Amino acid sequence: MRGGAQEASPSRRGWRCHYCLGRLWRVVKEHRTLVLTLLETVAAAAYPGPAASIYGSVQKPLICTMFGLLGVTLEVSELRHALRAPKLHCGCQFFSLMVTPLLFYVLLYRSGLVRAALSGESLAAGAMATMCLPTTTNTNVMFTQQAGGDVSATAINAALGNFLGAIVTPATTSLTLSRTTRAETNLARTFATVSEEIVAPLVGGLALQGALRVCFKCDDFVERVVRPYGRLASFVTIQAFLYVLFANAFASDAGDQVTVGAFVVLVLFLTAVHLVFFFAAWALSAKLTTSPEQRVSLIFTAPQKTESLGVAILTSIFDDDDHIGVLTLPIVVYHTIQTIVAACAVAAVRRNVLRVSGDDDDDVRRNVP
């Protein structure tokens, strides 16, 4: 018996090792964007030279490519479905693109509290610009699925938000920062740059997708080939852009402005801000939704902000600012915080859905891939 137990022990250890590696792989796969961003940050900090040297020449092509691919892969059919629940979708977009930047500007930024808390104009301006961004393109859908929410509603708002954000965000960012950045003197040039680098590629991508679907009757080709490979190309382009941006920031003197203490304060400040908006979205969802699944969709969509497209938008607006690396740092920090908060809240939100709807856990799990 004792020998049998000793023989079984290595087998149990091997099973546990396999189980732990499987769990680790699932976590990395679910949060691959966050993991890659952290790895890119470390690599850019360790050896920024080569990537920083090509930043000026690849910045504009990468931004145009990102938004062109967004137009090609955007769920156009989901935008038409928005008419089925206009109150939910309008409320979600209004909260994301108008309420969060307006409240942040009136209560914190205009009064100078943000500048005092973050000890610097660049970080304060970056935090203000972060609040003007649209919702994320994929993590909100992932967390809605995990919590048993209305995935279709989240997908609609992700597509609609990023389409509207490409137009609305440059306007709100320029208006809120006009007194403290170069946006005031370069307002006309800012909109010209945004139109050239963001709006035109986005519209071009949508037109290409529409031509493939309508003129060439290639719906099946678009769904099986164009959109999956377009998403992959978009993901690679976004990661390449973030890497050269981080390398340029570390290679410049702008990175010296952010001390360890300032970074810690930034993390704590943005965590508090995100939690306030997270619970505000939960409270508002009671008025805008008709089911617990829709409430889940709203709270995982309205308070979240896109990182990759947000960095691209701000780079287009402040491309001549020497502190662009510091300006975009709050976006990266906020995105990391919202991912951690959402991951921690999924279990509690799922239990609430089960309690209110009366479904068992198997029913909810069917919505989770």
Side-chain angles (χ1 to χ4, degrees):
M1 293 293 293
R2 186 174 303 172
Q6 291 176 351
E7 291 176 359
S9 181
S11 176
R12 287 199 298 269
R13 285 199 297 269
W15 179 85
R16 289 171 183 170
C17 181
H18 180 75
Y19 175 77
C20 292
L21 289 175
R23 292 279 296 178
L24 178 62
W25 172 247
R26 284 194 293 271
V27 171
V28 171
K29 187 177 180 181
E30 289 177 358
H31 304 289
R32 57 186 178 275
T33 301
L34 176 60
V35 173
L36 281 174
T37 301
L38 293 176
L39 293 176
E40 288 163 359
T41 304
V42 173
Y47 197 56
S53 64
I54 63 172
Y55 172 76
S57 58
V58 303
Q59 169 198 340
K60 184 176 178 179
L62 286 176
I63 293 175
C64 293
T65 302
M66 275 190 288
F67 283 92
L69 290 170
L70 176 64
V72 172
T73 59
L74 201 62
E75 290 273 9
V76 180
S77 60
E78 298 287 4
L79 298 180
R80 292 195 294 266
H81 294 330
L83 298 176
R84 297 180 181 178
K87 186 178 179 181
L88 169 64
H89 304 309
C90 290
C92 184
Q93 298 306 321
F94 185 74
F95 185 92
S96 176
L97 296 172
M98 293 296 175
V99 173
T100 52
L102 180 62
L103 289 179
F104 189 89
Y105 176 77
V106 172
L107 299 179
L108 298 174
Y109 188 77
R110 188 176 181 181
S111 63
L113 292 177
V114 180
R115 286 185 288 274
L118 301 182
S119 303
E121 180 56 47
S122 295
L123 285 178
M128 179 68 250
T130 301
M131 298 302 114
C132 299
L133 297 175
T135 188
T136 59
T137 56
N138 48 33
T139 55
N140 51 4
V141 176
M142 178 186 71
F143 287 121
T144 300
Q145 289 174 330
Q146 293 178 350
D150 190 336
V151 179
S152 63
T154 303
I156 291 169
N157 279 295
L160 183 61
N162 282 271
F163 177 77
L164 294 176
I167 302 171
V168 175
T169 294
T172 54
T173 303
S174 298
L175 291 174
T176 54
L177 299 179
S178 61
R179 294 186 179 182
T180 54
T181 65
R182 301 180 185 184
E184 182 178 19
T185 56
N186 296 329
L187 188 59
R189 188 183 63 80
T190 294
F191 281 103
T193 302
V194 169
S195 299
E196 178 185 356
E197 297 182 5
I198 296 177
V199 178
L202 179 62
V203 173
L206 286 169
L208 176 60
Q209 182 183 164
L212 290 173
R213 290 182 182 276
V214 178
C215 300
F216 298 99
K217 308 297 183 183
C218 297
D219 281 359
D220 186 60
F221 177 74
V222 170
E223 294 298 330
R224 289 189 301 105
V225 179
V226 174
R227 294 188 63 238
Y229 285 99
R231 288 196 190 101
L232 177 61
S234 178
F235 180 78
V236 173
T237 305
I238 288 170
Q239 299 309 315
F241 176 74
L242 290 176
Y243 175 68
V244 297
L245 176 67
F246 293 156
N248 182 68
F250 283 113
S252 67
D253 296 332
D256 297 336
Q257 293 185 7
V258 184
T259 63
V260 175
F263 181 77
V264 172
V265 172
L266 176 67
V267 171
L268 295 176
F269 178 79
L270 291 181
T271 300
V273 170
H274 177 66
L275 288 175
V276 168
F277 286 132
F278 184 86
F279 288 109
W282 176 257
L284 182 65
S285 64
K287 304 293 184 182
L288 297 177
T289 61
T290 57
S291 69
E293 290 79 12
Q294 287 187 352
R295 293 192 73 181
V296 172
S297 172
L298 193 143
I299 65 168
F300 284 124
T301 304
Q304 293 205 358
K305 302 295 180 181
T306 179
E307 176 190 21
S308 51
L309 298 182
V311 171
I313 290 172
L314 290 196
T315 305
S316 295
I317 297 174
F318 303 109
D319 61 338
D320 60 345
D321 198 307
D322 296 333
H323 301 151
I324 183 63
V326 182
L327 281 167
T328 54
L329 179 60
I331 299 178
V332 179
V333 173
Y334 190 90
H335 185 272
T336 304
I337 291 168
Q338 72 186 15
T339 301
I340 295 173
V341 170
C344 295
V346 161
V349 173
R350 176 195 286 271
R351 285 194 299 269
N352 182 77
V353 171
L354 293 173
R355 179 179 59 82
V356 175
S357 64
D359 295 333
D360 58 26
D361 197 49
D362 290 336
D363 292 334
V364 176
R365 193 177 288 114
R366 292 191 187 104
N367 295 325
V368 183

